[in-house]
Amino acid sequence: MDMPVNVPVDDPNADTEWNDILRKHGIIPEKPPSPTPIIEEAILEAQRRAHENRLEDKDLDELDALEDEEDEAFLEQYRKKRIAEISTLQKASIYNQVYPLQKTDYAREVTEASSNAYVLVNLTSSMGGNTESRVLSEIWRQLAGKYGEIKFCEIRADMCIEGYPERNTPTILAYKDGEIRKQFVTLRELKGVRTKIEDVEKVLVELGAVKEGDLRLRKRSESDEEEDNSQEADDGDDDDWD
């Protein structure tokens, strides 16, 4: 009767002649494939896709500036794509302002209108001392001019809902297809009085009202970065005079 043999193995995954013999006779399992080629292939694929999509975030002016660096036919594809995107936005851009609301018009101007577009309502403070309300009203004005396909509305909270608490203003209500999809009671969930336009833009992206790759988002981010750098430089200059 054959007795099982206990074969000492220091490292079953080591590339040794002894291990090869053991694998050949089925004493130890075959060595699993190395993950290195798979990882290298994934890296190369990611690099290939990044190269193919290198113009995805370029606007028309930036594409024109690359005429001496890129293949003309390749550039032309993206030019046509950008022109089509601009045309689509222009056709959808029908609001472009903040619409003041009356309670009697709320159903028509908001609930019903949300069947055709995203509608965002700002329930503002009835008192002039609410800083967050003033901040959001200014952001509303900027957003309305930038995203004309979205309807931005504004109404005093106490005119919309009798007895609405002043401490809950401003309140943001986001409508689509007759339903409230998101709401913010004050700007506490954003950045309070430090809330900026890009903070609300993130909400628009989360809602699906603005596409994540929309070039208008990138332009704003670059502008903000330049402002921040400028401010830091000014602060540094002030320090030199201390």
Side-chain angles (χ1 to χ4, degrees):
M1 179 177 178
D2 294 335
M3 297 295 292
V5 179
N6 186 14
V7 179
V9 179
D10 293 331
D11 182 0
N13 291 323
D15 288 323
T16 65
E17 184 178 354
W18 176 241
N19 279 354
D20 288 341
I21 295 172
L22 296 179
R23 292 188 189 104
K24 181 178 180 180
H25 290 84
I27 298 174
I28 62 174
E30 291 292 332
K31 184 180 178 182
S34 171
T36 302
I38 299 175
I39 295 173
E40 291 177 346
E41 184 179 348
I43 292 173
L44 289 174
E45 176 64 15
Q47 292 174 339
R48 183 186 65 79
R49 290 189 178 185
H51 182 70
E52 288 183 353
N53 299 325
R54 63 189 179 278
L55 303 184
E56 283 294 338
D57 63 346
K58 306 296 183 185
D59 61 22
L60 286 174
D61 290 338
E62 290 170 324
L63 291 175
D64 289 341
L66 294 173
E67 285 185 347
D68 295 335
E69 302 176 22
E70 297 285 353
D71 178 72
E72 180 59 30
F74 187 54
L75 278 175
E76 188 60 25
Q77 291 179 11
Y78 278 91
R79 286 196 187 98
K80 291 179 179 179
K81 183 178 179 180
R82 293 292 171 266
I83 292 172
E85 290 170 349
I86 293 170
S87 177
T88 299
L89 286 174
Q90 288 176 339
K91 290 177 181 178
S93 186
I94 60 176
Y95 299 111
N96 299 109
Q97 66 178 34
V98 176
Y99 288 78
L101 294 176
Q102 299 294 325
K103 185 174 182 178
T104 54
D105 300 327
Y106 196 95
R108 182 183 72 254
E109 297 293 337
V110 177
T111 311
E112 294 176 13
S114 69
S115 297
N116 301 317
Y118 279 89
V119 181
L120 272 73
V121 181
N122 174 16
L123 301 184
T124 67
S125 166
S126 59
M127 302 170 63
N130 188 317
T131 305
E132 284 191 3
S133 261
R134 295 201 301 271
V135 168
L136 187 60
S137 290
E138 174 57 24
I139 291 174
W140 236 231
R141 184 188 64 78
Q142 295 177 47
L143 289 172
K146 189 174 182 180
Y147 301 99
E149 72 275 22
I150 301 172
K151 187 174 184 180
F152 291 89
C153 302
E154 195 168 81
I155 183 173
R156 264 178 46 181
D158 60 346
M159 292 177 59
C160 183
I161 305 171
E162 186 176 353
Y164 194 79
E166 174 69 16
R167 65 180 179 275
N168 289 348
T169 61
T171 292
I172 299 174
L173 301 175
Y175 285 79
K176 187 68 176 77
D177 297 326
E179 299 179 353
I180 295 178
R181 298 296 179 86
K182 199 170 188 65
Q183 65 179 12
F184 292 89
V185 179
T186 76
L187 302 182
R188 181 175 57 251
E189 293 183 53
L190 298 173
K191 293 182 181 177
V193 295
R194 296 182 179 275
T195 300
K196 295 183 178 181
I197 183 173
E198 65 265 23
D199 298 313
V200 184
E201 284 178 325
K202 291 177 182 177
V203 175
L204 298 180
V205 172
E206 291 171 3
L207 283 168
V210 175
K211 292 182 179 179
E212 190 169 355
D214 195 307
L215 289 177
R216 293 173 293 181
L217 296 171
R218 185 173 66 87
K219 286 300 182 183
R220 177 65 198 177
S221 298
E222 290 178 350
S223 175
D224 290 337
E225 186 176 343
E226 290 174 1
E227 290 179 7
D228 291 341
N229 291 338
S230 176
Q231 182 61 44
E232 289 177 3
D234 291 341
D235 292 344
D237 293 340
D238 292 341
D239 292 340
D240 293 338
W241 289 98
D242 290 341

